[in-house]
Amino acid sequence: MSASFNRRDLLKFGSMAAIGMGLRLPSLGMGNEEGILRNYGAADGLINLSSNENPYGISPKAREALLAALGEAHRYQYNHTNLKDFKKQLADHYGVQEDQVLVTAGSGEALGLLPRHFHKGKLVTANPTFGILPATAKMLGQKVVEVPLTADQKHDLPAMLKEVDDDTSLVYICNPANPSSTIVSSSSLKNFCIEAAKKAYVAVDEAYIDFLDAPDNESMLQLIEKHPKVFVIGTFSKIHAMAGLRIGWVIGHASLIKPLADNYFIRTQMAMSALSMSAALASLKDPGWQKLSKEKNAAARDYTYNALKNMNINVVKSYTNFLFFPIPNYKGDFAADMLQKNIFLRSSNYIHGKWARASVGTMDEMKQFIETMKQVQV
Ligand SMILES: Cc1ncc(COP(=O)(O)O)c(C=O)c1O
């Protein structure tokens, strides 16, 4: 199959998937990771900067654990001796109790299940934000209040708080934020969570927290004991580079975790692969590998940020493994046109105009991305 045929196919498939998600083309659904051709890697020279994956791969220790688990692949995970206390090991790592943890096949699964539980009353979130939870809530007929980001692409915490009332069942906030790549300070987020939790449950999605340095990397896990309505969602897909292995979690007060476990999350651990679970435990024990990918990501991100700035593109300062930049003057469908040039990224129209999001790939990939950006007028 030729490269150009492949690209045409990608576009066709992407369009169909987007329509399937009810998205209006040419938007590639930047805030929604579901309806896009994420399973295409770098085949035929395609540089895939679409899904905020970690290009450095899983830890060698996780690879070893995966291979070792293969020998027992004929057994259910609950019969793998190493996995009997999987949840306990996760709980120990995050400094919580076992009854405060739910595990899921990627955090996306949790984001799709949560609105089923929190369906009484409205959802308050940002616009734009990561799409699975709000999109599911809308599909279920829930009222979703989407508070625009500030002009500097940060969560508008005071405006969000104003929307939280006795009729609010859930607040969903990503810190760091997707797609905008920004953060709010730990202290302001902490105050926001405490205030909002007086009226509603608050879900903090910390998918990208491991790309942060102190003091910004303070997790809201610290709140769950004293503020039982605050809970945190996490994933092994980003710093652990395990997007294809599908491991995520929800950690909260036992009084929330129990009804979730008894209800919509009843079989989520059964949906997880023993191989993935084995790799996840090994990855937790390899902080050196995480540090390496964090450092490489920062170097490639800084290079790309500076190169875009030098091209007069007003790229947002990123605290993540992706970059968000305005393309106000671009005529046409930016993501579709970049795909023709072998760069797979996202672009969309939203309340602040036309924007694009590119994941941070390897340094070589980002150099090629910048060369391609020089050929287009944004
Ligand atoms: C903010 C955020 N939350 C959750 C996820 C879902 O990740 P996964 O389902 O791979 O755990 C993503 C994926 O990109 C994300 O950006």
Side-chain angles (χ1 to χ4, degrees), residues 33 51 106-108 111 130 174 178 205 207-208 235 237-238 246:
E33 303 278 322
S51 306
S107 58
L111 295 171
F130 187 64
C174 297
N178 184 7
D205 186 335
Y208 300 97
T235 179
S237 296
K238 306 301 174 182
R246 313 306 302 132

Side-chain angles (χ1 to χ4, degrees), residues 315-329:
V315 56
V316 174
K317 180 170 168 46
S318 167
Y319 291 83
T320 62
N321 65 342
F322 53 92
L323 291 151
F324 192 52
F325 52 95
I327 45 168
N329 303 318

Side-chain angles (χ1 to χ4, degrees), residues 33 38 50-53 104-111 129-132 172-179 205-208 233-238 242-244 246-249 321-322 346 357:
E33 303 278 322
R38 52 161 54 192
S50 71
S51 306
N52 304 344
E53 294 155 346
T104 51
S107 58
E109 187 188 19
L111 295 171
T129 190
F130 187 64
I132 294 178
Y172 172 62
I173 183 163
C174 297
N175 194 56
N178 184 7
D205 186 335
E206 296 186 345
Y208 300 97
I233 300 158
T235 179
F236 279 76
S237 296
K238 306 301 174 182
M242 288 176 44
R246 313 306 302 132
I247 304 273
W249 49 259
N321 65 342
F322 53 92
R346 309 291 182 99
R357 191 199 73 187

Side-chain angles (χ1 to χ4, degrees), residues 197-261:
K198 290 179 181 165
K199 295 190 170 147
Y201 280 89
V202 183
V204 187
D205 186 335
E206 296 186 345
Y208 300 97
I209 194 168
D210 303 299
F211 291 102
L212 298 178
D213 295 314
D216 298 321
N217 60 354
E218 236 185 83
S219 169
M220 293 304 118
L221 282 172
Q222 64 184 293
L223 297 181
I224 64 165
E225 203 50 62
K226 271 201 181 156
H227 303 277
K229 287 191 162 181
V230 179
F231 61 101
V232 178
I233 300 158
T235 179
F236 279 76
S237 296
K238 306 301 174 182
I239 201 74
H240 292 282
M242 288 176 44
L245 294 176
R246 313 306 302 132
I247 304 273
W249 49 259
V250 177
I251 297 181
H253 196 271
S255 64
L256 165 69
I257 296 303
K258 175 144 181 28
L260 287 176

Side-chain angles (χ1 to χ4, degrees), residues 103-374:
V103 289
T104 51
S107 58
E109 187 188 19
L111 295 171
L113 290 175
L114 286 167
R116 287 159 167 94
H117 183 81
F118 293 105
H119 65 281
K120 289 186 188 136
K122 66 185 182 189
L123 168 73
V124 173
T125 191
N127 179 17
T129 190
F130 187 64
I132 294 178
L133 194 151
T136 309
K138 283 180 195 171
M139 262 165 26
L140 297 173
Q142 193 176 2
K143 183 174 175 198
V144 180
V145 178
E146 296 168 292
V147 179
L149 300 180
T150 58
D152 54 358
Q153 310 303 316
K154 294 184 181 167
H155 279 109
D156 190 338
L157 297 181
M160 287 179 81
L161 200 53
K162 267 194 204 149
E163 295 294 343
V164 181
D165 57 23
D166 292 333
D167 185 36
T168 306
S169 57
L170 184 65
V171 178
Y172 172 62
I173 183 163
C174 297
N175 194 56
N178 184 7
S180 54
S181 79
T182 56
I183 50 168
V184 288
S185 72
S186 305
S187 56
S188 61
L189 183 58
K190 218 185 303 177
N191 290 337
F192 171 82
C193 289
I194 292 170
E195 282 309 306
K198 290 179 181 165
K199 295 190 170 147
Y201 280 89
V202 183
V204 187
D205 186 335
E206 296 186 345
Y208 300 97
I209 194 168
D210 303 299
F211 291 102
L212 298 178
D213 295 314
D216 298 321
N217 60 354
E218 236 185 83
S219 169
M220 293 304 118
L221 282 172
Q222 64 184 293
L223 297 181
I224 64 165
E225 203 50 62
K226 271 201 181 156
H227 303 277
K229 287 191 162 181
V230 179
F231 61 101
V232 178
I233 300 158
T235 179
F236 279 76
S237 296
K238 306 301 174 182
I239 201 74
H240 292 282
M242 288 176 44
L245 294 176
R246 313 306 302 132
I247 304 273
W249 49 259
V250 177
I251 297 181
H253 196 271
S255 64
L256 165 69
I257 296 303
K258 175 144 181 28
L260 287 176
D262 288 347
N263 199 358
Y264 293 99
F265 287 75
I266 197 158
R267 297 246 176 266
T268 50
Q269 185 153 339
M270 266 300 276
M272 290 162 56
S273 142
L275 275 65
S276 304
M277 292 162 83
S278 306
L281 292 182
S283 190
L284 287 178
K285 293 184 188 117
D286 196 356
W289 186 257
Q290 293 161 49
K291 183 165 173 276
L292 208 72
S293 54
K294 183 180 166 192
E295 286 168 1
K296 283 183 181 168
N297 172 69
R301 180 181 66 199
D302 292 352
Y303 158 79
T304 314
Y305 175 88
N306 290 328
L308 290 174
K309 278 273 185 202
N310 286 339
M311 292 160 67
N312 291 322
I313 294 173
N314 203 10
V315 56
V316 174
K317 180 170 168 46
S318 167
Y319 291 83
T320 62
N321 65 342
F322 53 92
L323 291 151
F324 192 52
F325 52 95
I327 45 168
N329 303 318
Y330 195 79
K331 307 265 180 286
D333 186 332
F334 180 66
D337 295 347
M338 288 294 278
L339 192 52
Q340 293 292 353
K341 296 177 188 298
N342 255 349
I343 305 283
F344 184 13
L345 47 61
R346 309 291 182 99
S347 66
S348 191
N349 273 314
Y350 87 108
I351 198 150
H352 292 150
K354 256 186 178 180
W355 284 71
R357 191 199 73 187
S359 308
V360 177
T362 61
M363 187 65 94
D364 278 353
E365 287 175 330
M366 298 326 280
K367 286 185 175 160
Q368 288 181 64
F369 166 67
I370 290 298
E371 284 315 304
T372 308
M373 285 297 292
K374 287 178 183 162

